[in-house]
Structure formats: structure tokens, C-alpha cells
Amino acid sequence: MFLIVLFSLLNLNPNSMVLFDFSKNSDLQGWFVVNDDVMGGRSQATFEIDAAGNGLFQGKVSLENNGGFASVHYRFDRMEIGDSKKLVLHVKGDGKRYQARVYANTSDNYSYIAYFNTSGEWQTIEIPLENMYPSFRGRKLDLANFSESGLVEIALLIGNKKVENFSLQIDKIELR
């Protein structure tokens, strides 16, 4: 009983695996931005640590030259996910819709995706891994939803088929 109370007081979850917990001293090695300029587009995005110590993904999505998306990725050594069932994002968005992506293998040319909406306030977004579906270049693939045993990369993407500025603060990303 004491441990349950202690975990509650410290806001720790014994069944949680932290993928990244941002702070003012965070090393962003492994994080990289991919915009639609890889295919001729004109969207622009940056990723940095803000004054409060959160990850800050921001920029402008452009539809010029068949563009329309910006993303930030975090690649890491393969991590076994054990009994984890959810991707959990602690974020503060701008009221826009974003996409979470996970990659199971470095050799896969597709990711598993799910959409989430932001409210302008801090939120805890819980995405069941089994609901994440395989997609390649915006097209749903005829494969099963996520049922893998590990991850090698996560990403956040905005691509709402319109020109828009965006800003997404990220406090923590974990698996539960």
C-alpha cells in the first residue's frame, strides 16, 4: 500500500516507460525535423527546448509545390515495449490536429499512425498502440494495426491540408 501511495504522490507510474522527458538540459541528439521539402514542398519547422524546458515543435505548413506537412522525429536504439499498451503524450498544442507515429523497425518504409487533437491547454493524450494503423505517404496500408514487440522511432506530424502556423510544446512521451 505504501508504494502505491508513494507512486501517486510522486506522480510516477510503475508500468510506465519514458521515451523522452524534456527539461532545460535535454540533449536533442536523436531528434530531427522532416518537412515536405524532401519532396519539393515549402513547409518550415524547428525543434528546440523552450524557456520552460519543454520540447517546442513549431513552424508553418505550406501547400506550395505539393507540400503540406512538417514533422519531428526521435530515433533511438530498439526498445522492447513489454506489456505497454499505450503511447502517452504530455503536450500543450494550439488547438490543431496532429498525428503521432511509431516505427517498429528501421527497415520498414512505413509507420503506424493515429491522430490527436490539441486544446490549447496542457493535455495527457493516450493513444492505444493497437489502434495505430500502418501508413505510407499518407495512405493506409492493407496490413494489420500495430502489434509489434518494440520501437525504434517516434514522430509527431502536422498535415491538415491547409496553410497554417503551428506550435506544439512537449513535456514527456512515454509508453504505458
Side-chain angles (χ1 to χ4, degrees):
M1 181 67 170
F2 173 75
L3 284 177
I4 293 172
V5 172
L6 181 61
F7 282 127
S8 295
L9 289 174
L10 296 175
N11 196 23
L12 297 175
N13 184 336
N15 299 320
S16 175
M17 253 190 291
V18 175
L19 298 176
F20 208 94
D21 190 359
F22 291 92
S23 73
K24 290 182 180 181
N25 300 319
S26 291
D27 179 359
L28 296 182
Q29 186 174 357
W31 287 93
F32 57 97
V33 171
V34 176
N35 297 324
D36 55 22
D37 59 351
V38 297
M39 46 192 254
R42 299 274 191 262
S43 297
Q44 297 177 353
T46 60
F47 188 66
E48 61 191 11
I49 301 296
D50 68 12
N54 298 303
L56 179 60
F57 174 48
Q58 64 182 354
K60 181 176 183 173
V61 174
S62 169
L63 300 179
E64 288 183 53
N65 291 354
N66 296 315
F69 75 88
S71 65
V72 63
H73 297 246
Y74 177 50
R75 188 171 293 154
F76 43 87
D77 290 335
R78 184 171 174 81
M79 175 187 293
E80 296 301 315
I81 63 171
D83 293 333
S84 297
K85 303 286 186 218
K86 296 177 186 175
L87 177 66
V88 181
L89 309 169
H90 304 275
V91 297
K92 181 179 181 182
D94 48 15
K96 295 183 172 70
R97 183 175 82 151
Y98 290 84
Q99 197 182 99
R101 293 178 168 217
V102 296
Y103 297 77
N105 302 291
T106 55
S107 60
D108 292 344
N109 62 357
Y110 61 91
S111 61
Y112 296 90
I113 70 171
Y115 289 92
F116 65 94
N117 293 306
T118 61
S119 67
E121 302 295 327
W122 281 104
Q123 299 171 263
T124 299
I125 308 287
E126 295 186 2
I127 302 170
L129 291 169
E130 68 184 6
N131 291 353
M132 298 184 82
Y133 63 87
S135 177
F136 178 69
R137 294 186 178 166
R139 291 183 173 83
K140 186 175 181 179
L141 301 177
D142 189 20
L143 298 170
N145 282 5
F146 186 87
S147 64
E148 303 286 339
S149 62
L151 296 178
V152 296
E153 188 175 319
I154 55 174
L156 300 170
L157 180 141
I158 185 164
N160 295 321
K161 299 182 182 180
K162 62 183 173 181
V163 174
E164 60 186 341
N165 292 320
F166 66 91
S167 180
L168 182 68
Q169 289 176 276
I170 310 159
D171 173 48
K172 187 184 335 181
I173 302 172
E174 60 186 314
L175 294 172
R176 286 193 196 148

